[in-house]
Amino acid sequence: HSRSVFEAWYRCAEDAARVIGNTIHPRRWFLCFDELRSANSCAACRARGMDMAHLIGDCLARQREIVRKVSPDAVCYVWGDMLDPNHNGVACYYNCRGSFADAWRGVPKDVTVVCWNGLSSDRSLKFFSEHGFRTLAAAYYDEKPPFEHSRRWRDLVRRTEGARGILYTTWRQDYRDLPAFVKMVNDAKDGQ
């Protein structure tokens, strides 16, 4: 039964990816994975007999395969919180059964990890870099110029191997600050 539940979910994901791919032909895809609150708690997950880290790695690898069937050259991204030992990728998290520790090990290295925890941004970027992943820093979060928090992310990205850039992340769908944000990101002087 558990296998059929997962296979049905994957078939739905394949159908959705095919529609998206055939309609808008994206080159970049964000995989479905963030702030899990009750993972591995249903009978279907438990019946798979996998620990949390392997279950998560398997799920992300399957999502990537689904995207690649539709768009072979796609660049895939995933929020890093549940994979990051400096963030939510820990032994005990909310109502989840099992540990998220080491879940990052099952993630294909060509998936770019998007780090968003400002409290451990330096440790997070460094962790994924040291383990061979490319990263993006999710910054902004509707802060106003002079973007002190985002400047810190910018400077970390510049110093971190494998860090590819900064994502303008808005909760309010407000893009009025985007030009000023881009200017700040491209500023050649650190601390400016």
Side-chain angles (χ1 to χ4, degrees):
H1 174 69
S2 69
R3 186 174 179 91
S4 64
V5 169
F6 279 92
E7 291 310 315
W9 187 90
Y10 288 126
R11 279 194 304 278
C12 288
E14 287 172 349
D15 291 344
R18 200 169 20 263
V19 169
I20 292 167
N22 291 334
T23 305
I24 60 175
H25 313 287
R27 293 180 303 141
R28 291 171 173 76
W29 295 67
F30 231 112
L31 303 180
C32 178
F33 196 77
D34 185 31
E35 295 186 70
L36 304 176
R37 298 288 197 250
S38 59
N40 203 24
S41 60
C42 72
C45 286
R46 289 194 309 270
R48 291 191 74 192
M50 300 171 94
D51 63 29
M52 177 67 76
H54 288 93
L55 189 65
I56 296 312
D58 180 64
C59 179
L60 286 172
R62 287 286 300 268
Q63 287 183 52
R64 180 183 149 276
E65 287 174 28
I66 289 167
V67 167
R68 289 287 170 86
K69 283 180 187 175
V70 174
S71 181
D73 298 326
V75 177
C76 294
Y77 299 86
V78 65
W79 293 114
D81 61 306
M82 303 310 301
L83 308 170
D84 186 348
N86 301 294
H87 200 173
N88 298 335
V90 295
C92 251
Y93 185 75
Y94 281 82
N95 297 318
C96 298
R97 274 185 86 247
S99 172
F100 283 95
D102 293 333
W104 61 270
R105 292 184 188 275
V107 180
K109 295 290 177 148
D110 61 352
V111 173
T112 299
V113 179
V114 182
C115 301
W116 58 267
N117 184 1
L119 300 176
S120 68
S121 51
D122 53 342
R123 293 187 312 261
S124 295
L125 288 174
K126 181 179 179 188
F127 174 83
F128 288 110
S129 174
E130 288 176 346
H131 289 93
F133 289 95
R134 292 178 306 238
T135 56
L136 276 181
Y140 180 64
Y141 294 102
D142 304 303
E143 73 175 313
K144 294 299 173 198
F147 309 116
E148 289 179 38
H149 178 74
S150 295
R151 284 176 191 279
R152 197 164 128 300
W153 275 108
R154 176 203 63 192
D155 295 344
L156 285 168
V157 165
R158 289 178 177 173
R159 294 192 305 264
T160 305
E161 186 176 335
R164 296 293 193 241
I166 297 177
L167 180 67
Y168 181 91
T169 316
T170 176
W171 287 109
R172 299 180 189 140
Q173 308 305 312
D174 183 355
Y175 295 92
R176 289 178 289 185
D177 290 327
L178 185 56
F181 181 84
V182 169
K183 182 180 182 318
M184 177 276 300
V185 168
N186 290 325
D187 192 332
K189 295 179 182 176
D190 285 342
Q192 289 280 324

